Amino acid sequence: MLFFFFSHRRNCKGNPNCLVGIGEHIWLGEIDENSFHNIDDPNCERRKKNSFVGLTNLGATCYVNTFLQVWFLNLELRQALYLCPSTCSDYMMGDGIHEEKDYEPQTICEHLQYLFALLQNSNRRYIDPSGFVKALGLDTGQQQDAQEFSKLFMSLLEDTLSKQKNPDVRNIVQQQFCGEYAYVTV
C-alpha cells in the first residue's frame, strides 16, 4: 500500500476540514491501480473533483450509510471526533509507519475518524464501511429501524465520548443532538 502525506498549513488547528493531527497519513493512500480488479477503466472509479464520496451498501445497510453521511456533514461533530485521541499513536514508530501490518481502527471513535477521513479525502467515488459495520456487530443481511439505530449508536457514542478529558469532545453529542420531544397519541 502506498501512502502520501498531505501538504498543509500548520495553523489550521481550528478548521474542522483540516485533518492534521489525526493520523490521516496512515489511512489515506494514493489509488493503487491494482486494486481496481476486473474494471476496464480505473478512471471511472475515481472521484471527480469537488464531488462527494459515497458508501458501499453491504446488503441491508443503507440506514447505516445514511446516518454516516449525515454525521459526516455535521462539522462540529466531525471536528470533535478528530480531536479524540486514538491508538494509532501506538501504531506509529516515531514519524514512520510500522511495516508489519496495516492500521486497523480499534474503537468506535477511531472507526468514525477513519471513515470521515476517507469521506473527506478519498480519491475513489465510494468507500467500504464494512469495518465499522463489523465493529458494531451488525448483520448486513438484516434491515434495521433507522431511528432505533441512530438512537442506540448515539447513546454508545455519547457514553464513549463522556470519558474524554476535552469538554468539546466530551459534550458534543449533547450539544449537537440533545433535544426534547413529546410522543402524543391522539
Side-chain angles (χ1 to χ4, degrees), residues 52-72:
F52 291 106
V53 175
L55 294 160
T56 302
N57 190 349
L58 306 172
T61 59
C62 55
Y63 66 99
V64 176
N65 291 353
T66 299
F67 279 106
L68 283 172
Q69 291 169 343
V70 167
W71 297 326
F72 169 75

Side-chain angles (χ1 to χ4, degrees), residues 156-175:
L156 173 65
L157 186 62
E158 182 178 25
D159 184 57
T160 302
L161 295 178
S162 70
K163 298 171 181 79
Q164 297 295 317
K165 292 179 183 174
N166 184 335
D168 294 332
V169 175
R170 186 175 55 240
N171 300 321
I172 191 65
V173 173
Q174 296 93 347
Q175 292 170 354

Side-chain angles (χ1 to χ4, degrees), residues 1 3 19 22-29 53 55 68 72 78 81-82 84 86 88 102-122 127-133:
M1 182 178 279
F3 291 92
L19 296 177
I22 67 166
E24 68 282 354
H25 55 279
I26 295 171
W27 300 329
L28 302 174
V53 175
L55 294 160
L68 283 172
F72 169 75
R78 189 180 347 154
L81 286 169
Y82 286 163
C84 283
S86 72
C88 84
D102 289 335
Y103 172 78
E104 288 290 328
Q106 300 299 309
T107 67
I108 294 302
C109 289
E110 288 178 21
H111 277 282
L112 285 174
Q113 287 172 333
Y114 178 66
L115 283 172
F116 287 178
L118 288 174
L119 284 169
Q120 188 166 337
N121 292 296
S122 178
I127 58 171
D128 183 353
S130 58
F132 176 74
V133 169

Side-chain angles (χ1 to χ4, degrees), residues 8-158:
H8 59 275
R9 297 186 329 174
R10 286 285 199 216
N11 62 351
C12 65
K13 183 176 181 182
N15 181 351
N17 296 314
C18 181
L19 296 177
V20 176
I22 67 166
E24 68 282 354
H25 55 279
I26 295 171
W27 300 329
L28 302 174
E30 292 183 24
I31 292 181
D32 177 9
E33 297 300 334
N34 296 325
S35 69
F36 294 100
H37 303 290
N38 301 322
I39 297 174
D40 293 331
D41 181 12
N43 288 320
C44 74
E45 294 299 312
R46 293 183 196 276
R47 174 172 72 149
K48 291 183 174 76
K49 188 176 180 176
N50 298 322
S51 65
F52 291 106
V53 175
L55 294 160
T56 302
N57 190 349
L58 306 172
T61 59
C62 55
Y63 66 99
V64 176
N65 291 353
T66 299
F67 279 106
L68 283 172
Q69 291 169 343
V70 167
W71 297 326
F72 169 75
L73 291 172
N74 183 315
L75 293 177
E76 290 81 7
L77 176 64
R78 189 180 347 154
Q79 182 178 25
L81 286 169
Y82 286 163
L83 293 173
C84 283
S86 72
T87 59
C88 84
S89 59
D90 298 337
Y91 172 77
M92 297 289 291
M93 289 188 328
D95 56 339
I97 298 171
H98 281 276
E99 297 294 329
E100 309 89 57
K101 58 181 181 173
D102 289 335
Y103 172 78
E104 288 290 328
Q106 300 299 309
T107 67
I108 294 302
C109 289
E110 288 178 21
H111 277 282
L112 285 174
Q113 287 172 333
Y114 178 66
L115 283 172
F116 287 178
L118 288 174
L119 284 169
Q120 188 166 337
N121 292 296
S122 178
N123 292 323
R124 298 204 57 174
R125 288 180 36 206
Y126 56 86
I127 58 171
D128 183 353
S130 58
F132 176 74
V133 169
K134 184 179 178 184
L136 292 176
L138 299 174
D139 179 357
T140 60
Q142 184 177 12
Q143 182 71 36
Q144 301 289 328
D145 181 73
Q147 180 185 5
E148 185 177 0
F149 167 75
S150 177
K151 180 182 73 170
L152 293 173
F153 183 77
M154 278 293 143
S155 294
L156 173 65
L157 186 62
E158 182 178 25

